Amino acid sequence: MTKSLHPRSKGLLASQLPGDDLPGSRELTGREYLRVSEDRSKRMKSPAQQHEDNERACAAHRITLGEPYREGRAVSASRYSTDVRDDFDRLMTDLRNREFGADVLVLWESSRGSRRVLEWVTMLDLLERQGIFVFVTTHGRLYDPANPRDRRGLIDDANDSEYESAKIAQRIRRDMAANAAEGRPHGLCPVGLRPVYHERTGKLITWEADPETAPMIVDLFTLYRRGRSGRSIAKEFKERGYRNKLGNPYSPAHLRDMATRAAYTGLRVHHGELIEGTWDAIVERDLWWDVQRILAEPAHQSTKPRFGSVKHEYTRTMRCAKCLGPITTLDSKRGDYMCQTGGCARITKAPVDAILNAVIEDFLAQADFTARVARRVDTPQVRALEIAIAQLRAELEEAENAVPANVSEARMFARIIEDIKPKLADKQAQLRGLTTPSELASLLASDDGSPVADAVTRWRDAPVEIRRKIAKILLSPQYLGQVRINPRTPGKRLPPHERLTWVRDAA
């Protein structure tokens, strides 16, 4: 004959009690909380398997099960997890609102409830106030949270579970540090690479080039170095039929994020430090660094929406001589340039374009121009700046993506972010000052990446967006000079060239 547990038995069998006239000798109702975590325990069971075990044990102990609380996906109950356990939250809400609607909370094992001591104790307090019991299937026991001995046993279980979680977390961090020091891969394998596993153990060994998607990654970096915008690359990739893992076209933001990943050039980032990876690069190191310099430009940092495509190469490359605001193009029949900040200066566009085109083409036609900008700038100072920028960007990304546990941590992360941003901007400005010639070489290169013999022809044939990037470099104080448009002088009608001021750096 099956022996059942009395609800106030403190672990005793019902047959050992004085009689059935004691309070609670009736059948009980129960509700399960079902969860499977993503740990590697040998006793790991799915919610369906847990329910089957619970159902058999509860039937033997006169507990009738009602609607369960069931997590729809695998989530961890560890304090190291940031996962949201929707049905656990619903369970706690029902307990607080006295809407649990049963006599017993049924758990397959105590760690299924929580591996966080504070969270577990809070739940026990709520159960005790409402006279609700806890049945743990793997223990074969009915616990009463109001009984000090039962309560201590349940809290000891929570302490043991939290301690085990802490050991697992410590081991994971130690393994991650060791993997990083050896350059082994970590995290999701990025598009363009594929994981390589050990044939016998199934453990990840390294990454290797994915023959199907690696060419797309190389194209991405090549197009960025040629001066193409993320928007135009996304459009071209869509036309080529490239799709992400969800089957959707790549967005400009997604492509930009991909182009910053050091994994493509065989590097791993760990706590802001660049480490040589154990896998082969699919993007040449020089090409990767060139793209990082291009993406560090202010034009690639803006998060403001841009409507339409680039139509005018000199828009925002000039300044107002009065307020130093940017000069933009008006969509008028005549097509005028005007100060965007205060409307201080306005001038007809066509004659100004003719002047700027002539000056730029004269400069590009100089005999030593191609040789001067074609050589690669790759000094120890440049490489040190590149590494510093990559590390600062990694630290910034880590701080921006951090999940603070409280308000103090949130403020700390905010201070870290505000401290990194000016340092990053300063390093990027230093790098631009040293690498502008190689960027010009990339923009003026032919389709196969080689220097062109005729820079003027390349300038004339280039798309407007690339012409604008070249113009921004050349119409700067260190080259031809920053062009500033002077406001009209009352009573005077000056020709366009007399209203332009060229501001150059001192020699």
Side-chain angles (χ1 to χ4, degrees), residues 3-174:
K3 298 179 179 180
S4 61
L5 286 176
H6 189 283
R8 294 292 182 187
S9 66
K10 316 304 180 287
L12 296 176
L13 296 175
S15 61
Q16 296 173 296
L17 295 175
D20 287 339
D21 57 338
L22 294 176
S25 59
R26 57 182 173 80
E27 286 193 358
L28 302 173
T29 58
R31 296 186 68 179
E32 306 163 272
Y33 174 66
L34 303 171
R35 175 187 69 82
V36 57
S37 66
E38 294 179 311
D39 59 42
R40 299 179 182 178
S41 169
K42 294 181 180 179
R43 303 181 67 184
M44 182 174 176
K45 285 194 174 185
S46 70
Q49 293 171 315
Q50 292 175 28
H51 172 69
E52 291 176 1
D53 289 352
N54 291 343
E55 198 169 37
R56 284 191 295 269
C58 287
H61 294 96
R62 294 191 298 172
I63 301 173
T64 302
L65 293 177
E67 179 190 358
Y69 297 91
R70 183 195 302 265
E71 298 297 350
R73 59 188 177 90
V75 291
S76 172
S78 164
R79 67 188 177 96
Y80 300 96
S81 171
T82 59
D83 290 337
V84 176
R85 293 179 291 154
D86 295 330
D87 258 33
F88 182 82
D89 291 343
R90 187 165 67 90
L91 165 63
M92 295 296 285
T93 300
D94 286 352
L95 289 173
R96 291 188 180 97
N97 296 336
R98 296 182 175 272
E99 296 175 353
F100 180 69
D103 304 309
V104 183
L105 173 63
V106 179
L107 302 172
W108 180 66
E109 67 175 15
S110 53
S111 67
R112 297 306 89 189
S114 180
R115 291 178 181 266
R116 310 177 195 188
V117 174
L118 180 60
E119 191 175 67
W120 183 246
V121 171
T122 301
M123 184 175 70
L124 292 180
D125 287 342
L126 292 170
L127 293 169
E128 178 185 354
R129 290 172 197 163
Q130 298 175 48
I132 299 171
F133 303 94
V134 178
F135 182 78
V136 182
T137 296
T138 55
H139 296 183
R141 285 281 308 273
L142 186 72
Y143 294 91
D144 180 4
N147 179 273
R149 186 176 296 275
D150 283 5
R151 183 182 179 88
R152 186 181 70 175
L154 291 170
I155 292 176
D156 284 347
D157 284 349
N159 277 319
D160 291 344
S161 295
E162 185 169 279
Y163 175 60
E164 186 62 28
S165 292
K167 289 196 298 182
I168 292 171
Q170 185 181 50
R171 185 170 64 251
I172 290 173
R173 285 196 296 267
R174 187 166 56 245

Side-chain angles (χ1 to χ4, degrees), residues 5 28 86 91 104 125 219 261 293 295 360 385 441 499:
L5 286 176
L28 302 173
D86 295 330
L91 165 63
V104 183
D125 287 342
D219 287 347
R261 296 185 185 180
R293 285 196 289 266
L295 295 180
I360 287 177
L385 283 170
R499 290 185 57 192

Side-chain angles (χ1 to χ4, degrees), residues 297-298 313-314 316-319 356 359-360 363 369 372-373 429 432-437 439-440 443 459 467-484 501-507:
E297 288 293 321
E313 55 263 58
Y314 298 122
R316 302 183 70 84
T317 63
M318 299 177 285
R319 294 281 169 177
L356 300 182
V359 172
I360 287 177
F363 181 76
F369 173 78
R372 181 150 40 98
V373 302
R432 286 196 297 273
L434 294 172
T435 60
T436 297
E439 184 177 354
L440 266 177
L443 292 171
W459 157 261
R467 285 165 62 91
R468 179 183 289 185
K469 291 181 179 181
I470 296 172
K472 276 192 173 184
I473 294 173
L474 294 181
L475 298 180
S476 63
Q478 71 184 99
Y479 279 93
L480 298 174
Q482 184 184 77
V483 179
R484 298 181 182 176
T501 299
W502 299 75
V503 180
R504 296 181 177 87
D505 285 340

